[in-house]
């Protein structure tokens, strides 16, 4: 039996909006919305989703702007703009690189470290909310499977300096 144009279009629309990339994106968006809402409630209204490109790639040591931009896969100009904003807000400091006086090293301030600690608490709280909705075993299975697939695909999601220190 041949599908009508409307049925064929409905099938196409369904497949375009119900696939792995879309499911991963929606899960990620939900997680991030919850993070930003809770960080706002904890007293960080100035932190925006774009700032994650800095915090997810900075770590607790210091790093050069060029390395940070490369890790985040953004231009040095875009990274510089975010860094200026975060420095103005007191979350990061830029110091002269001891090895190259022309370069700047970026590091978290005490306020930035507190934000990182609060962010981890928020992530734990959100994971608990998910566990209550979908079950601990389901959530752990999803994370384990995604981690396994990322490794099998040899995707580089951790900065090189962190890969050797993976907790799992």
């Amino acid at each position: 039996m041949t599908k009508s144009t409307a049925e064929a279009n409905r099938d196409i629309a369904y497949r375009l909006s119900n696939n792995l990339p879309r499911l991963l994106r929606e899960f990620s968006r939900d997680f991030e919305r919850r993070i930003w809402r809770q960080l706002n409630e904890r007293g960080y209204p100035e932190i925006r989703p774009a700032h994650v490109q800095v915090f997810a790639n900075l770590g607790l040591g210091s790093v050069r702007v060029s390395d940070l931009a490369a890790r985040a896969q953004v231009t040095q100009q875009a990274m510089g703009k975010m860094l200026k904003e975060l420095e103005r807000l007191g979350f990061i400091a830029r110091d002269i690189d001891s090895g190259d006086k022309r370069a700047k090293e970026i590091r978290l301030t005490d306020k930035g470290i507190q934000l990182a600690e609060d962010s981890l608490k928020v992530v734990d709280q959100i994971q608990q909310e998910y566990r209550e909705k979908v079950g601990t075993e389901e959530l752990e299975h999803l994370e384990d499977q995604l981690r396994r697939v990322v490794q099998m695909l040899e995707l580089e999601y951790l900065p090189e300096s962190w890969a050797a220190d993976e907790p799992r």
Side-chain angles (χ1 to χ4, degrees):
M1 183 161 129
T2 310
K3 291 183 182 181
S4 70
T5 301
E7 290 171 326
N9 287 344
R10 194 171 32 255
D11 288 347
I12 290 168
Y14 178 80
R15 288 183 61 208
L16 286 173
S17 61
N18 191 24
N19 53 52
L20 182 61
R22 177 67 183 267
L23 295 170
L24 291 170
R25 188 170 38 258
E26 292 305 317
F27 184 84
S28 178
R29 284 180 179 164
D30 181 70
F31 206 101
E32 288 177 0
R33 272 191 299 270
R34 291 168 187 253
I35 287 173
W36 304 124
R37 183 175 57 242
Q38 289 186 31
L39 283 177
N40 187 44
E41 291 169 5
R42 286 177 176 252
Y44 299 101
E46 66 273 51
I47 295 300
R48 298 179 294 110
H51 295 144
V52 79
Q53 293 181 38
V54 174
F55 294 112
N57 292 291
L58 184 56
L60 293 178
S62 61
V63 65
R64 290 181 178 188
V65 176
S66 57
D67 293 335
L68 192 55
R71 287 177 186 175
Q73 298 178 349
V74 299
T75 65
Q76 286 189 41
Q77 292 81 3
M79 181 57 68
K81 185 176 178 182
M82 280 186 279
L83 292 171
K84 278 184 185 178
E85 182 177 4
L86 291 169
E87 184 176 34
R88 181 181 55 76
L89 294 169
F91 292 103
I92 62 136
R94 296 199 255 190
D95 301 316
I96 301 294
D97 184 331
S98 57
D100 180 353
K101 302 294 184 204
R102 297 168 297 166
K104 297 275 187 178
E105 286 186 333
I106 309 304
R107 64 174 174 77
L108 291 175
T109 61
D110 289 343
K111 184 177 178 181
I113 292 169
Q114 184 62 55
L115 170 62
E117 290 171 353
D118 287 344
S119 296
L120 291 173
K121 290 174 187 171
V122 165
V123 167
D124 289 344
Q125 185 176 341
I126 293 167
Q127 287 179 325
Q128 182 57 38
E129 291 171 12
Y130 282 169
R131 282 187 208 97
E132 291 169 8
K133 285 189 173 194
V134 301
T136 299
E137 194 172 307
E138 286 292 321
L139 192 61
E140 287 176 359
H141 180 71
L142 173 64
E143 187 174 357
D144 288 343
Q145 287 298 102
L146 285 172
R147 187 174 287 108
R148 197 171 126 250
V149 169
V150 164
Q151 288 172 347
M152 290 171 67
L153 293 173
E154 299 175 357
L155 302 178
E156 296 177 21
Y157 70 103
L158 288 176
E160 239 180 72
S161 62
W162 297 356
D165 298 331
E166 275 186 78
R168 287 184 142 224

